[in-house]
């Protein structure tokens, strides 16, 4: 590694949309102080300290380090003494900042309020992007959202002002695009209460999705725990060209690793192929890395990142990153736990789905596969945008295809929607004519928000239960996720392929080989898409949508009405009573895939994300009951009647009967939403026993005082009957690495004993004993 004579290398960043109007007040001896004209909230990354920590750890481990190891270990609370063993030990880390989207920020801020602390300890922001429903168009939908969600927006704005959290108003854009434009930079560590926070890895940052309780830890100045990740290397050779896009890289990787292949690992990209991918393209790849279960994904610093930083008004950050370039790339000779190699010259456009994001198909083959499986070929709606693909480059490439169709007298045969990623993107593509082209071809430009990607879509062209196909440039396509219709076959692909299929109106259209017919009857092929990586002129920032917290927010009043059906102050969960958990009733034995969408649905339920009792009425209503293959239909073992999952759980709780959920593989994959852990705890659950967990959900369960346990023998799942009772033994001697046992009592009186494994460390056991991590935090004050 190069050594530097810089005595100080602290980069002071006032982070936010005002970055385009910053002025440099000092840039001497490696110290770049950057001040913003719009607000003062600052974050500090001390490259000198990062370098020092990395040097300490490298000397201790006596080996070269991957990039992800450098950034993660560079943020250790105690680099001299921290035990480091990939895949085994828990690291205590000091992230640089926190970001929260409005749906998860409600519960995170309610928990922070419950902590009793006066102000956040690290720079933090709230982003209003989840509560805007797509109905008619951007401005109309935004106006309605402001009216419908006024109480929640007011709560978040005032809570932010009181506790020192920046507030991005509704209409500002999707959290991950705002982070990329303002907050991410090489070497920073950021945690966000959304599973697609890894988007920032496209700018050389370690950005990790977490639950709200983890965010509260960081905002409370408590070291944040993360199991030391393994590192999967993806070597890219060749270069992207033609119809192949950055999205195809992650679509291909998802097909290789599946939805759980990245669990417990950071995916790190390297190799000569990087230089053919734009910074926002790298962000796309990192964003969808959440779909393979990865802790996060990251790219090494290169000239594409430098250009993006400069174009977004952060040239001084780019200059300092250049000086510390050796710190921001992997060490030569570093070792990965697994290596995948992709030749971008050979990579073809892909489309994944339906119903799962890892079912990968080359676009050239999807037609035949669809016919074989009786998937609808007609594309009803094409949707581009979302946090995954809403950059200036994405919109420009889609517009280049739309322009070709318009020149031939064609419009989209399918409905077509466009979601800009941020107010800056919306304003810039409007100025540069892309929006007009996309509207002219038949598109509707929606609000700068998540919209249909997370189920915020008032879809009316098909009835619920009607079999149909949609193609999107989103990241997820779980059953009923986008439109609440379980019969919708959703496929994820690049914006370019979505646009081409929307024009053609059919899933079996391959733009590399197939022809369209112009209005005059002429046969023609679409030329490969083209578009500028970044605007030739500066970005247009659009409207000012940022609220800076005051220096002292102690006088700000935060109101939560006891009569509100949207917001509810939290009551602490009961602590562990000191004994084993006896006679837990199996509430439901879940069959097959059970994502956080199945456990705590989004869409219309988002309105209750700040009210734990109301949101609990959606607990597990999407999960399949193995007893009858029914959804939201389980037998109440006390009455003998069948009812909805939340209703039966409430009945058990009212009658003093605690319960347990039994699940399959990769339980809780998908979103970071901690409501999927809060709701079972609130309704009387004590344990979740499965074959395996997704990372974020397992941590969220621990944070709320539940026991996430796994079968020592996955085949023991088959031994559990839906009417069993289970006693969990060994809790008096609960220690890290020591399994617990479960006595299963069948309704015929027979019993069997099963070994239950866990991943609790000493701190997490204290959370369980205290009743929750928040309870433990308050007890330590």
């Amino acid at each position: 590694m190069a050594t530097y004579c810089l005595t100080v290398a602290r980069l002071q960043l006032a982070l936010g949309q005002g970055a385009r109007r910053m002025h440099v007040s000092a840039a001497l001896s490696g110290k770049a102080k950057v001040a913003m004209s719009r607000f003062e909230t600052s974050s500090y990354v001390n490259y000198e300290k990062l370098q020092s920590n990395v040097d300490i750890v490298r000397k201790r481990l006596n080996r070269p380090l991957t990039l992800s190891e450098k950034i993660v270990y560079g943020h250790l609370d105690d680099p001299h003494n921290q035990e480091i063993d990939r895949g085994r030990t828990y690291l205590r880390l000091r992230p640089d900042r926190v970001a929260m989207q409005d749906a998860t920020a409600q519960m995170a801020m309610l928990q922070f309020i419950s902590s009793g602390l006066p102000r956040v300890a690290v720079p933090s922001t709230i982003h209003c992007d989840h509560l805007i429903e797509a109905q008619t168009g951007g401005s109309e939908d935004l106006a309605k959202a402001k009216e419908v969600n006024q109480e929640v927006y007011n709560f978040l704005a005032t809570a932010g002002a009181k506790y020192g959290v920046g507030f991005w108003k509704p209409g500002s854009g999707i959290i991950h695009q705002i982070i990329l434009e303002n907050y991410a930079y090489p070497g920073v560590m950021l945690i966000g209460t959304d599973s697609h926070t890894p988007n920032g890895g496209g700018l050389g940052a370690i950005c990790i999705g977490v639950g709200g309780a983890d965010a509260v830890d960081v905002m409370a100045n408590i070291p944040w725990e993360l199991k030391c990740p393994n590192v999967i290397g993806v070597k890219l050779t060749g270069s992207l060209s033609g119809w192949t896009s950055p999205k195809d890289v992650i679509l291909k990787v998802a097909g290789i690793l599946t939805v759980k292949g990245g669990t417990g690992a950071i995916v790190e990209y390297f190799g000569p192929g990087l230089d053919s991918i734009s910074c926002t393209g790298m962000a796309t790849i990192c964003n969808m890395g959440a779909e393979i279960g990865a802790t996060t994904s990251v790219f090494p610093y290169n000239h594409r990142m430098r250009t993006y930083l400069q174009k977004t008004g952060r040239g001084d950050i780019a200059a300092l990153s250049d000086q510390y370039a050796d710190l921001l790339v992997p060490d030569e000779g570093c070792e990965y736990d697994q290596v995948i190699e992709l030749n971008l010259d050979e990579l073809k456009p892909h489309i994944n789905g339906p119903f799962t994001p890892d079912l990968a198909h080359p676009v050239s083959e999807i037609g035949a596969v669809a016919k074989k499986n009786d998937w609808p070929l007609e594309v009803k709606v094409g949707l581009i945008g979302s946090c995954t693909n809403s950059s200036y480059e994405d919109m420009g490439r889609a517009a280049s295809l739309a322009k070709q169709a318009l020149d031939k007298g064609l419009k989209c045969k399918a409905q077509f929607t466009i979601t800009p990623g941020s107010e800056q993107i919306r304003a810039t593509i409007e100025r540069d004519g892309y929006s007009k082209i996309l509207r002219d071809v038949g598109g509707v430009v929606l609000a700068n928000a998540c919209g249909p990607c997370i189920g915020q879509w008032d879809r009316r062209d098909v009835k619920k239960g009607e079999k149909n196909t949609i193609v999107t440039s989103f990241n997820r396509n779980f059953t009923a996720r986008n439109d609440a219709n379980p019969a919708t076959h959703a496929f994820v692909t690049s914006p370019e392929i979505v646009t081409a299929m929307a024009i053609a109106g059919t899933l079996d259209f391959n733009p590399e080989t197939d022809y369209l017919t112009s209005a005059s009857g002429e046969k023609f092929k679409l030329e490969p898409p083209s578009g500028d990586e970044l605007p030739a002129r500066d970005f247009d920032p659009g409207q000012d949508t940022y609220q800076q917290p005051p220096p002292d927010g102690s006088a700000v009043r935060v109101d939560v009405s006891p009569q509100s059906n949207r917001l509810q102050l939290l009551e602490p969960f009961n602590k562990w009573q000191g004994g084993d958990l006896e006679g837990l009733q199996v509430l439901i034995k879940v069959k097959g895939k059970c994502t956080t969408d199945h456990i705590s649905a989004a869409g219309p339920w988002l309105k209750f994300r700040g009210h734990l009792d109301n949101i609990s009425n959606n607990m597990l209503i999407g999960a399949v009951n193995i007893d009858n293959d029914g959804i939201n239909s389980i037998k109440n073992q006390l009455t003998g009647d069948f009812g909805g999952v939340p209703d039966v759980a409430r009945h058990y709780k009212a009658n003093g009967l605690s319960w347990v959920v039994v699940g399959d593989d990769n339980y809780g994959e998908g979103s970071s939403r901690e409501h999927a852990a809060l709701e079972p705890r609130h309704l009387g659950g004590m344990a979740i026993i499965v074959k395996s967990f997704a990372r974020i959900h397992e941590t969220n369960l621990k944070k709320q005082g539940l026991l996430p346990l796994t079968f020592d023998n996955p085949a023991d799942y088959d031994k559990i009957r839906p009417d069993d009772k289970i006693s969990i033994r060994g809790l008096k001697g609960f220690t890290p690495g020591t399994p617990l046992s479960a006595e299963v009592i069948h309704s015929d009186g027979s019993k069997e004993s099963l070994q239950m494994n866990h991943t609790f460390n000493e701190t997490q056991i204290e959370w369980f004993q205290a009743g929750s991590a928040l309870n433990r935090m308050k007890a330590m004050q």
Side-chain angles (χ1 to χ4, degrees):
M1 296 291 294
T3 57
Y4 298 94
C5 62
L6 305 174
T7 58
V8 181
R10 172 171 288 169
L11 181 62
Q12 179 177 338
L13 303 173
L15 298 172
Q17 189 175 344
R20 290 174 298 284
R21 287 184 284 281
M22 67 185 179
H23 65 273
V24 178
S25 56
L28 301 172
S29 300
K31 180 179 181 180
K33 181 179 181 180
V34 183
M36 305 300 179
S37 61
R38 306 215 7 213
F39 52 94
E40 300 170 359
T41 300
S42 298
S43 175
Y44 299 86
V45 61
N46 190 326
Y47 277 125
E48 188 177 59
K49 181 177 180 181
L50 189 69
Q51 181 75 67
S52 174
N53 285 357
V54 168
D55 289 343
I56 291 167
V57 172
R58 187 190 291 109
K59 184 176 180 180
R60 286 182 54 202
L61 298 181
N62 193 31
R63 62 173 175 80
L65 301 178
T66 67
L67 170 62
S68 50
E69 287 182 307
K70 287 183 177 182
I71 303 176
V72 171
Y73 303 162
H75 285 82
L76 286 170
D77 183 53
D78 183 3
H80 289 280
N81 300 301
Q82 170 72 61
E83 185 181 7
I84 299 171
D85 186 8
R86 284 186 195 171
R88 187 182 67 82
T89 59
Y90 280 87
L91 307 178
R92 291 167 60 84
L93 301 165
R94 292 287 185 176
D96 296 302
R97 68 176 301 123
V98 172
M100 300 168 280
Q101 42 94 337
D102 50 356
T104 51
Q106 296 171 63
M107 197 58 68
M109 292 308 297
L110 286 166
Q111 290 178 86
F112 188 82
I113 291 170
S114 297
S115 76
L117 296 170
R119 195 171 178 88
V120 298
V122 302
S124 304
T125 47
I126 294 168
H127 303 258
C128 294
D129 62 358
H130 270 57
L131 300 180
I132 302 168
E133 184 178 48
Q135 293 181 323
T136 56
S139 58
E140 301 92 337
D141 295 344
L142 178 59
K144 183 175 181 180
K146 289 179 178 179
E147 178 184 350
V148 170
N149 301 306
Q150 181 180 5
E151 179 186 13
V152 171
Y153 291 148
N154 180 65
F155 166 73
L156 294 174
T158 55
K162 185 173 184 67
Y163 297 104
V165 179
F167 179 69
W168 288 84
K169 302 173 187 178
S172 59
I174 305 173
I175 178 173
H176 310 303
Q177 183 66 27
I178 297 294
I179 289 171
L180 197 72
E181 293 173 355
N182 300 277
Y183 301 140
Y185 52 88
V188 74
M189 174 176 275
L190 177 150
I191 65 166
T193 61
D194 190 279
S195 58
H196 293 109
T197 302
N199 190 81
L203 204 40
I206 290 292
C207 298
I208 301 176
V210 299
D214 276 344
V216 172
D217 278 356
V218 177
M219 292 190 292
N221 202 31
I222 296 172
W224 173 60
E225 288 195 341
L226 175 72
K227 180 174 275 191
C228 188
N230 291 315
V231 188
I232 298 173
V234 179
K235 182 178 181 181
L236 302 179
T237 59
S239 61
L240 294 176
S241 62
W243 283 91
T244 307
S245 74
K247 186 68 165 284
D248 297 306
V249 174
I250 187 58
L251 294 172
K252 179 69 173 180
V253 169
I256 295 169
L257 288 176
T258 77
V259 290
K260 64 177 184 177
T263 302
I266 293 176
V267 178
E268 183 173 313
Y269 293 83
F270 67 99
L274 302 181
D275 286 341
S276 71
I277 305 174
S278 67
C279 177
T280 53
M282 296 183 213
T284 290
I285 295 167
C286 292
N287 178 294
M288 198 174 161
E291 290 5 289
I292 57 174
T295 300
T296 192
S297 301
V298 67
F299 280 80
Y301 180 64
N302 69 0
H303 71 96
R304 308 300 282 262
M305 296 182 192
R306 179 194 309 119
T307 301
Y308 185 80
L309 287 168
Q310 291 168 339
K311 202 66 175 180
T312 52
R314 295 174 286 174
D316 284 78
I317 302 174
L320 198 61
S321 297
D322 283 344
Q323 294 177 37
Y324 278 84
D326 286 350
L327 180 63
L328 305 173
V329 297
D331 287 345
E332 186 176 350
C334 68
E335 294 186 359
Y336 298 97
D337 296 285
Q338 177 183 354
V339 175
I340 297 168
E341 185 165 345
L342 291 182
N343 185 339
L344 301 182
D345 289 334
E346 299 173 356
L347 183 64
K348 290 295 185 179
H350 272 64
I351 184 168
N352 290 20
F355 307 124
T356 185
D358 59 349
L359 186 58
H361 321 273
V363 169
S364 60
E365 299 176 10
I366 187 62
V369 175
K371 291 170 186 174
K372 179 181 178 181
N373 289 281
D374 194 29
W375 298 336
L377 288 179
E378 180 189 3
V379 173
K380 289 285 189 179
V381 191
L383 305 97
I384 65 170
S386 87
C387 65
T388 318
N389 279 111
S390 57
S391 68
Y392 185 83
E393 180 181 38
D394 289 329
M395 296 300 170
R397 286 169 65 87
S400 74
L401 299 172
K403 181 68 164 57
Q404 293 180 55
L406 289 169
D407 288 346
K408 297 292 186 178
L410 298 183
K411 290 192 174 185
C412 290
K413 290 184 177 179
Q415 294 183 45
F416 187 43
T417 69
I418 302 96
T419 305
S422 68
E423 170 62 8
Q424 176 172 275
I425 293 296
R426 183 210 62 79
T428 306
I429 66 172
E430 189 69 47
R431 180 197 68 191
D432 292 351
Y434 292 165
S435 294
K436 183 180 187 304
I437 293 171
L438 294 170
R439 283 193 293 263
D440 287 348
V441 84
V444 175
V445 179
L446 300 174
N448 314 323
C450 300
C453 183
I454 59 162
Q456 283 284 52
W457 183 15
D458 184 19
R459 187 180 182 193
R460 300 182 179 181
D461 63 299
V462 296
K463 296 178 181 178
K464 189 169 182 177
E466 181 180 342
K467 196 173 176 181
N468 74 101
T469 285
I470 64 173
V471 292
T472 82
S473 69
F474 304 162
N475 40 45
R476 265 182 206 140
N477 57 348
F478 301 142
T479 302
R481 175 176 171 85
N482 302 123
D483 60 0
N485 181 4
T488 293
H489 292 55
F491 296 84
V492 291
T493 185
S494 67
E496 299 92 322
I497 295 298
V498 172
T499 305
M501 287 185 173
I503 292 167
T506 182
L507 189 64
D508 60 355
F509 178 71
N510 178 7
E512 290 190 299
T513 58
D514 295 346
Y515 288 80
L516 296 169
T517 303
S518 71
S520 63
E522 170 194 0
K523 297 283 187 181
F524 74 100
K525 279 174 60 178
L526 291 170
E527 294 296 322
S530 61
D532 293 335
E533 176 180 348
L534 295 164
R537 292 183 282 172
D538 286 343
F539 279 107
D540 183 340
Q543 299 180 33
D544 184 354
T545 55
Y546 180 77
Q547 173 186 293
Q548 174 188 340
D552 181 3
S554 58
V556 177
R557 183 182 178 92
V558 181
D559 289 324
V560 178
S561 169
Q563 286 74 45
S564 174
N565 71 345
R566 298 289 300 270
L567 298 166
Q568 180 186 46
L569 293 175
L570 297 174
E571 295 292 333
F573 293 128
N574 293 331
K575 67 178 183 180
W576 175 56
Q577 296 302 303
D580 291 333
L581 302 180
E582 299 287 347
L584 304 178
Q585 179 66 58
V586 172
L587 177 69
I588 180 174
K589 182 179 178 183
V590 177
K591 178 181 178 181
K593 183 187 283 283
C594 190
T595 72
T596 48
D597 283 82
H598 295 89
I599 304 168
S600 178
W605 290 96
L606 284 169
K607 67 173 70 74
F608 299 123
R609 284 283 181 87
H611 196 294
L612 179 54
D613 194 57
N614 284 346
I615 192 69
S616 294
N617 288 324
N618 79 354
M619 186 192 72
L620 286 161
I621 62 173
V624 178
N625 178 11
I626 199 169
D627 193 30
N628 58 6
D629 282 336
I631 295 175
N632 199 28
S633 175
I634 60 172
K635 187 176 182 179
N636 185 324
Q637 301 300 328
L638 295 180
T639 67
D641 299 326
F642 277 80
V645 181
D647 301 325
V648 175
R650 287 185 187 276
H651 187 261
Y652 288 168
K653 182 180 180 182
N655 285 273
L657 179 61
S658 298
W659 48 263
V660 61
V661 169
V662 176
D664 211 315
D665 263 321
N666 208 30
Y667 184 89
E669 70 172 276
S671 167
S672 69
R673 66 192 69 157
E674 65 181 337
H675 300 78
L678 282 160
E679 294 172 32
R681 185 74 164 100
H682 176 64
L683 294 185
M686 299 300 292
I688 311 293
I689 303 173
V690 301
K691 294 180 181 178
S692 65
F693 284 103
R695 175 190 64 87
I696 299 176
H697 186 58
E698 182 181 22
T699 300
N700 286 344
L701 291 167
K702 293 177 183 178
K703 287 278 186 177
Q704 302 308 332
L706 284 151
L707 284 174
L709 305 174
T710 56
F711 295 103
D712 180 63
N713 179 1
D716 286 346
Y717 167 88
D718 297 323
K719 296 179 180 179
I720 306 297
R721 303 170 191 171
D723 59 352
D724 283 346
K725 287 190 174 182
I726 299 176
S727 296
I728 297 173
R729 306 275 168 73
L731 290 173
K732 289 182 180 180
F734 196 9
T735 55
T738 302
L740 300 173
S741 65
E743 184 181 58
V744 181
I745 305 102
H746 301 303
S747 58
D748 61 8
S750 61
K751 301 177 181 179
E752 47 193 316
S753 183
L754 307 177
Q755 180 172 309
M756 297 285 112
N757 296 333
H758 67 85
T759 61
F760 281 80
N761 61 24
E762 291 179 359
T763 300
Q764 294 166 347
I765 290 172
E766 291 176 355
W767 299 344
F768 168 74
Q769 293 170 340
S772 71
L774 185 58
N775 287 359
R776 179 60 178 163
M777 180 196 302
K778 294 176 73 173
M780 294 293 288
Q781 290 178 14

